[in-house]
Structure formats: structure tokens, C-alpha cells
Amino acid sequence: MLMSKLQRTNRYQYILDATLALVAEEGLLKTSMSKIFKRSKSSPGVVYHYFSSKDEIMDTLFLRITSEMMAQIMGNVDPEQAILVRYKDLWLKKYHFHFNNPDKTIFLEQYKNSSYFSAEREQQMQQIMMGLLSMGQRDIERGLVVPLGLDVIYTMTFTVALNLAKLHIDGEITLDATILDAVAERSCQSILL
């Protein structure tokens, strides 16, 4: 009996979801193909029908999660909005993505600090982030943002949002909306002229 297109799509997603859960629970290195087969309730033949290797599964997850994150961060961005309001909105979206998606955050962190994160993946990530990077570069050229380089600006703003979300997820800190707004504002003011 042939599987329907919906069943095939669901099976593909089950494999990715199972892998994401395994990485969050056991880590990237301990996530084996045999564990992926078992968690996704898929035979090796089914998994290998969709993915040639563990590497391909990990790369696919990385690109999908990065794309999802950037779509959420850049959604409804108004380039004509007051600069501080715009950057605070981006900062808060970054924070909330990570806070609301702890498994995806764990995965992204482990992937980026592994041998999977190659120059090719870096280039693909830059392509996915092109809207954000272009906006930042335009703001530098317009004299709105301190010309420190996009990597430094990203670290001073979005890496702070990521790290605070991780601390909040781990229960090491508690951040309410008022504190988040204040931190976002301070973080974004640090890069504005």
C-alpha cells in the first residue's frame, strides 16, 4: 500500500522532531541514527529514504530552525519605525524565540559549536540572515548605529537576548515584561548613535 503525500510529509517531520528531542535530551554527539530510528518509530529504510546520513538530518534541522527564527524576528519589521523602537522589537523577538523554543535553542547552540558547523553552513546562515544584516548595514551607513561591525553589534544585542533567555529557561533568573523591556532598551541603546 502506497503512503499518501501527507503521510510522507508527516514521516519526514517526525524524523526531524525526533532528532530535535534527542539532541535536547542527550546532546548532539549522543544522538545516533539508531536512536533516531527508535524515537521516530521509523525503520532505517524509511529514515534513509529521506536523509542520507545523520549529518544531513542535522544540517536540515539547523537550516530550518535558523530560517524559522529569522522569520519570527524579521516578521512585521517597519524600517521607518523609530530606530530604538525597531531594535527593541527585534531584540524582544529574538529573546522570545529562544525562551519559547528551548529545544531549538539547545540544538542551535550545540550545532554551532560542533564540527557540523562548516564554512558552507556559515554561508547559508548568512544568507538566511541577509535581511537583518542588510538592515544593520544600512543603519550604520545612515549614521544611526555605531560602526563597530555587524558581528560586534549582533553580540552586544542579540547574543545578550539569547543568553538571558537561556538563563531564564534554566531558572537562574526571572524576567518579567518590565525588566525585559528595560534590558532590551539598554542593550539596543548601546549600539545607537
Side-chain angles (χ1 to χ4, degrees):
M1 184 172 180
L2 295 174
M3 284 194 340
S4 72
K5 185 175 181 179
L6 180 59
Q7 288 172 315
R8 287 191 302 272
T9 302
N10 286 343
R11 180 60 57 200
Y12 181 85
Q13 191 60 49
Y14 290 152
I15 295 164
L16 292 174
D17 291 345
T19 304
L20 180 62
L22 283 165
V23 171
E25 292 167 15
E26 300 186 19
L28 193 72
L29 297 177
K30 290 184 180 178
T31 298
S32 65
M33 287 301 278
S34 62
K35 289 179 182 178
I36 293 170
F37 305 148
K38 186 175 181 180
R39 178 62 73 91
S40 67
K41 298 180 178 145
S42 302
S43 69
V46 169
V47 174
Y48 284 117
H49 171 76
Y50 293 107
F51 302 98
S52 62
S53 64
K54 176 184 168 182
D55 293 5
E56 186 178 354
I57 296 171
M58 297 303 171
D59 294 342
T60 300
L61 264 174
F62 175 73
L63 295 173
R64 279 181 160 221
I65 294 169
T66 302
S67 295
E68 177 189 344
M69 179 182 66
M70 288 312 301
Q72 284 187 24
I73 291 170
M74 294 301 289
N76 301 318
V77 171
D78 179 2
E80 299 307 315
Q81 197 171 32
I83 189 89
L84 180 58
V85 173
R86 180 166 30 109
Y87 275 82
K88 272 179 55 178
D89 183 54
L90 294 168
W91 191 100
L92 288 165
K93 287 177 185 175
K94 172 80 168 163
Y95 170 86
H96 286 297
F97 176 84
H98 291 294
F99 182 74
N100 294 324
N101 297 284
D103 288 358
K104 291 175 182 178
T105 299
I106 290 167
F107 178 86
L108 289 174
E109 291 282 287
Q110 289 191 23
Y111 184 95
K112 286 176 74 176
N113 291 304
S114 74
S115 60
Y116 288 108
F117 193 60
S118 62
E120 180 183 357
R121 256 0 115 236
E122 171 77 24
Q123 189 174 27
Q124 289 172 318
M125 185 181 78
Q126 297 291 325
Q127 281 300 117
I128 293 167
M129 295 176 64
M130 188 55 67
L132 179 64
L133 297 174
S134 296
M135 183 183 68
Q137 189 59 47
R138 279 192 308 273
D139 290 338
I140 290 170
E141 291 167 2
R142 291 170 52 200
L144 301 172
V145 172
V146 179
L148 299 172
L150 293 176
D151 288 342
V152 173
I153 290 167
Y154 190 92
T155 300
M156 291 174 66
T157 54
F158 295 119
T159 301
V160 172
L162 164 65
N163 288 333
L164 288 174
K166 290 188 316 186
L167 289 171
H168 196 171
I169 289 165
D170 292 341
E172 295 181 36
I173 60 172
T174 302
L175 301 169
D176 63 21
T178 303
I179 293 171
L180 270 176
D181 189 67
V183 173
E185 185 160 330
R186 290 286 182 147
S187 181
C188 293
Q189 283 175 339
S190 72
I191 62 157
L192 301 180
L193 288 171

